[in-house]
Amino acid sequence: MPKAPSQPRQGVPENYEGVVNLITQDYAQLSAGFQQIARFLTQNPNVVALESINALAEKCGVHPSSLVRFAQHLGFSGFKHMQAVFQTRIATAAPGFRERIRALDSELSRYSGEGPLGHLKQLVIRDMAALEGLLEGVAEEDLVVAAELLATKDTIYIAGQMRSEPIAQLLRYLLTMLHRRVVLLDPAGGLAAEMAETMTDRDMLVAIAFRHYAKEVVTICESAGERSIPVIAITDSQLSPLAKDATVLFTVPEDEYTFSRSLAAPICLVQGIAVATAARLQPDKQEAPRIPTVTEILRNRAARRTPQTARQ
């Protein structure tokens, strides 16, 4: 049975963070249509700030009147009133941020429908926008806490399936090169959930999932949360099922692509987290933190063995 639309509330969120917090609080009780709008608003705040209600309704897949009713449910007088909060977010962001967003939108319109090269250019421009958003959306304190967990916990368990699997594989590689003990909860063999049950409070979990969220990853994350095991969650919004159990939450909003959603921003985020961990593990180094490659490790091992061979 569909959920009945909830009643409008008293009071208005004063800023974008207030809107997101309110949506997160109410999400489970919203109707299916309102949940669809909620996901769009939290994943595309720049688009919401800059485009008309008709354009947003088309992208969101709803009638414009639904956006008005959703805004009123949150306590606003109408959609324009709510949109002003999103516009204030951009106005108070880093200098030039709004201009960069408009420039990227302009570039996208230039390269629409121009064959294979045009498609490539569109993908590159969208990835540029996603990376710009990553700079605005990741807090330094979250990177510090994540690096501390990854540098100090006994074993790091990583869960990422379907489209998130390449991200999980890269993180395992980078952390292994930093000599951390890592367990990839690979679904092959059907033992990922059972392997996750071996986690203790000396360990931690990195859970990676985007819509449509891999059920096994969600289950593993919920189990870790129930046992008070620290969780770093990498997902698409505060409405993700991973968010409620996250010790550190990294959100990477996703744009729609014709074939798939891009991995550029989450891959860059994982690399940034790994470099922050390297810096935490290498506090005495004067130069920038380094993550050695397999080739460098093998070369160093060979160099250490050479003097021993010479003495023999």
Side-chain angles (χ1 to χ4, degrees):
M1 180 179 296
K3 299 174 184 177
S6 37
Q7 297 299 314
R9 68 181 69 249
Q10 299 297 320
V12 180
E14 296 180 355
N15 50 39
Y16 170 74
E17 290 72 21
V19 172
V20 172
N21 290 339
L22 196 53
I23 289 174
T24 303
Q25 173 187 323
D26 284 5
Y27 184 75
Q29 285 73 47
L30 295 176
S31 66
F34 274 14
Q35 285 185 345
Q36 182 175 335
I37 294 171
R39 289 193 298 269
F40 182 85
L41 294 182
T42 56
Q43 294 185 20
N44 303 276
N46 300 327
V47 177
V48 174
L50 299 174
E51 299 204 4
S52 69
I53 186 171
N54 290 331
L56 292 172
E58 183 178 354
K59 290 183 177 181
C60 192
V62 300
H63 192 273
S65 63
S66 296
L67 292 176
V68 175
R69 289 195 299 272
F70 183 84
Q72 290 172 340
H73 165 76
L74 295 183
F76 295 98
S77 60
F79 177 76
K80 282 288 186 183
H81 188 190
M82 181 182 71
Q83 188 180 40
V85 173
F86 286 76
Q87 292 169 341
T88 300
R89 171 184 173 272
I90 286 186
T92 56
F97 180 65
R98 183 169 184 153
E99 288 70 23
R100 295 199 302 270
I101 294 295
R102 289 194 183 280
L104 289 169
D105 285 343
S106 175
E107 286 292 301
L108 273 176
S109 64
R110 285 179 54 202
Y111 292 118
S112 59
E114 292 188 6
L117 182 58
H119 298 323
L120 174 62
K121 289 178 178 178
Q122 285 194 51
L123 291 172
V124 171
I125 292 165
R126 288 182 185 275
D127 281 347
M128 288 166 59
L131 292 170
E132 292 274 10
L134 195 64
L135 286 177
E136 303 295 330
V138 175
E140 182 169 4
E141 54 267 29
D142 289 336
L143 288 172
V144 170
V145 174
E148 181 69 18
L149 289 171
L150 293 167
T152 58
K153 288 297 181 178
D154 283 0
T155 304
I156 302 161
Y157 289 75
I158 303 176
Q161 298 178 11
M162 300 191 297
R163 192 175 60 89
S164 300
E165 184 178 8
I167 307 169
Q169 293 277 8
L170 175 63
L171 183 59
R172 177 181 67 165
Y173 171 80
L174 294 172
L175 294 176
T176 300
M177 292 299 99
L178 290 172
H179 294 167
R180 303 298 296 128
R181 186 185 297 116
V182 182
V183 175
L184 181 65
L185 298 173
D186 191 332
L191 293 175
E194 284 69 24
M195 292 168 63
E197 289 299 316
T198 66
M199 287 188 290
T200 72
D201 57 5
R202 299 187 302 275
D203 306 322
M204 64 164 295
L205 171 69
V206 180
I208 310 167
F210 302 88
R211 294 192 72 229
H212 302 276
Y213 311 100
K215 291 182 179 178
E216 194 166 42
V217 174
V218 173
T219 300
I220 289 170
C221 187
E222 289 175 344
S223 175
E226 289 168 359
R227 290 182 283 152
S228 300
I229 293 169
V231 176
I232 295 174
I234 300 175
T235 188
D236 52 1
S237 84
Q238 293 90 339
L239 305 180
S240 164
L242 304 187
K244 62 183 176 62
D245 296 304
T247 309
V248 184
L249 177 64
F250 293 104
T251 59
V252 186
E254 298 189 293
D255 199 355
E256 293 291 338
Y257 285 72
T258 54
F259 71 101
S260 180
R261 293 177 178 87
S262 174
L263 295 180
I267 286 290
C268 186
L269 172 62
V270 160
Q271 290 174 313
I273 293 171
V275 171
T277 305
R280 169 62 179 77
L281 292 168
Q282 304 163 11
D284 299 328
K285 284 198 171 184
Q286 298 301 315
E287 65 272 15
R290 279 189 51 78
I291 301 175
T293 64
V294 172
T295 303
E296 290 173 326
I297 290 174
L298 293 175
R299 186 170 62 238
N300 291 338
R301 284 178 185 168
R304 288 196 300 269
R305 289 171 183 161
T306 299
Q308 298 177 2
T309 304
R311 286 197 297 272
Q312 292 174 358

